[in-house]
Amino acid sequence: MSTLFIIGAGASYGSGPCHPNNPAMGNKLLSELIKAKGEASKLKPSTIEVFERNFEMGMDEIYRNKEVNIVEFLRDMAYYFLNFEIKEGNVYLDLINKIKNKQCVIASTNYDLLIEQAISGLGLQFQYAGPPSISKNIPLLKIHGSCHFLPIVPDCLFDISFDFEPNSGAILVDSPIKPATSKEEVITFMDKHKKFAPALAIYHPKKEVLFCPEDIERQKAHFCLEIEKAKNIIIIGLSINKADEHIWGNLAKCKGTIYHIDPISNGILEWRDGVNKKNAYHIKKGFSDAMVDIKRIIR
């Protein structure tokens, strides 16, 4: 039986040395997008207030009201998350070193590429699917998409203009994904195909995916299976969000022991008691400080 790691925005934010800094989270993410002078800079003050209270609610607001172009907003988020690179001493490197010879699966809700960089930096490979995996290949599931997941479509489709009704289950493009091999490849794609965005779930309660949803759903299906199979589930930097039923609904039903790593509880204890999940524990530490606990759990 394997160990499943579930990594949220708090993990990348608290992972240590990173260029040019660590990815922002919550309302700080909106501030960074506004600085970039993209779609976020066009938001009304009242909408910005919603974002500052809850980023997901802010995204839901602009998605429903079409205050800005949602595809452009996704493109802006992709450009932003492409910028980050791990440096020596980043905790992701330590994590991968500790699990590289173990039966482990990593699932991430993050759009950034820090975990991929850590795996590659240690001479390993990753697969966007669950086990089994070949030697030196770590199963990695990006269950909300990634800033480098590019749609594969015929050239004739790149000039199509999109219009859709929010919250209607609309899909703009359903095609296979090609994970880009470099930051430059993503930038070239988006600069050339300005009506397209990478496969990113819209950061709102329903996590709708406008581009390549079938591939993201496939990764989510692998993820749900791993929750069911795992002996230990280690959650790092992910807040409780009951709207994410594919995460928290499945965790409530699983048999494995859950360890939630976060300097603050972020609702894990209330969630545990509410779903009567007796083998769930809060490790009140940051990512780096919790490495000794992670090593003990997976040993």
Side-chain angles (χ1 to χ4, degrees), residues 24 33 52 75 78 94 122 152 154 213 220 229 233-234 240 249 256 258:
L33 294 175
E52 290 176 342
R75 286 167 54 87
D94 194 12
L122 293 170
I152 301 174
K220 284 167 66 175
K229 290 165 38 182
I233 299 170
I234 301 174
I240 305 294
I258 294 173

Side-chain angles (χ1 to χ4, degrees), residues 156-173:
C156 62
L157 295 182
F158 283 122
D159 293 327
I160 291 176
S161 295
F162 300 118
D163 192 22
F164 64 100
E165 288 300 317
N167 297 315
S168 64
I171 297 169
L172 298 188
V173 172

Side-chain angles (χ1 to χ4, degrees), residues 25-162:
M25 52 187 292
N27 62 334
K28 292 182 180 179
L29 172 56
L30 181 68
S31 300
E32 293 300 314
L33 294 175
I34 290 174
K35 286 181 192 175
K37 301 187 184 303
E39 291 297 286
S41 65
K42 304 174 185 176
L43 295 174
K44 297 181 294 189
S46 59
T47 306
I48 292 174
E49 288 179 8
V50 177
F51 268 97
E52 290 176 342
R53 290 196 300 271
N54 185 302
F55 193 95
E56 284 201 353
M57 293 300 103
M59 284 295 293
D60 194 43
E61 180 92 356
I62 65 171
Y63 185 47
R64 287 185 293 104
N65 297 339
K66 296 186 176 182
E67 183 176 332
V68 294
N69 185 306
I70 196 67
V71 174
E72 287 292 337
F73 204 102
L74 290 174
R75 286 167 54 87
D76 291 345
M77 292 183 73
Y79 279 122
Y80 173 76
F81 283 108
L82 277 171
N83 287 324
F84 301 97
E85 298 177 6
I86 60 168
K87 297 168 65 176
E88 185 177 353
N90 187 281
V91 189
Y92 278 134
L93 291 165
D94 194 12
L95 175 67
I96 300 304
N97 245 330
K98 284 185 169 53
I99 71 172
K100 62 185 178 182
N101 296 317
K102 307 286 186 181
Q103 285 187 305
C104 294
V105 176
I106 301 173
S108 174
T109 64
N110 297 337
Y111 303 140
D112 66 61
L113 300 174
L114 299 187
I115 192 70
E116 283 96 336
Q117 293 168 19
I119 295 170
S120 298
L122 293 170
L124 304 170
Q125 297 179 323
F126 45 85
Q127 61 184 47
Y128 294 115
S133 60
I134 62 174
S135 176
K136 296 186 177 182
N137 206 341
I138 296 177
L140 173 61
L141 303 170
K142 302 292 282 279
I143 61 174
H144 291 168
S146 186
C147 66
H148 75 314
F149 282 174
L150 303 181
I152 301 174
V153 296
D155 288 344
C156 62
L157 295 182
F158 283 122
D159 293 327
I160 291 176
S161 295
F162 300 118

Side-chain angles (χ1 to χ4, degrees), residues 4-15 91-92 95 99 106-110 115 233-239 248 258-263 266 283 285-288 290-291 294:
L4 172 64
F5 287 85
I6 305 177
I7 293 171
S12 288
Y13 179 74
S15 65
V91 189
Y92 278 134
L95 175 67
I99 71 172
I106 301 173
S108 174
T109 64
N110 297 337
I115 192 70
I233 299 170
I234 301 174
I235 304 170
I236 307 172
L238 182 68
S239 300
W248 296 102
I258 294 173
Y259 302 90
H260 186 264
I261 296 170
D262 202 295
N266 272 324
I283 298 176
K285 296 180 180 179
F287 191 2
S288 180
M291 286 308 302
I294 291 172

Side-chain angles (χ1 to χ4, degrees), residues 231 233 251-252 254-259 271-272 276-281:
K231 178 181 179 181
I233 299 170
L251 287 172
C254 75
K255 294 180 180 178
T257 302
I258 294 173
Y259 302 90
W271 173 84
R272 177 193 67 186
N276 196 30
K277 177 66 177 167
K278 294 181 180 179
N279 58 338
Y281 306 95

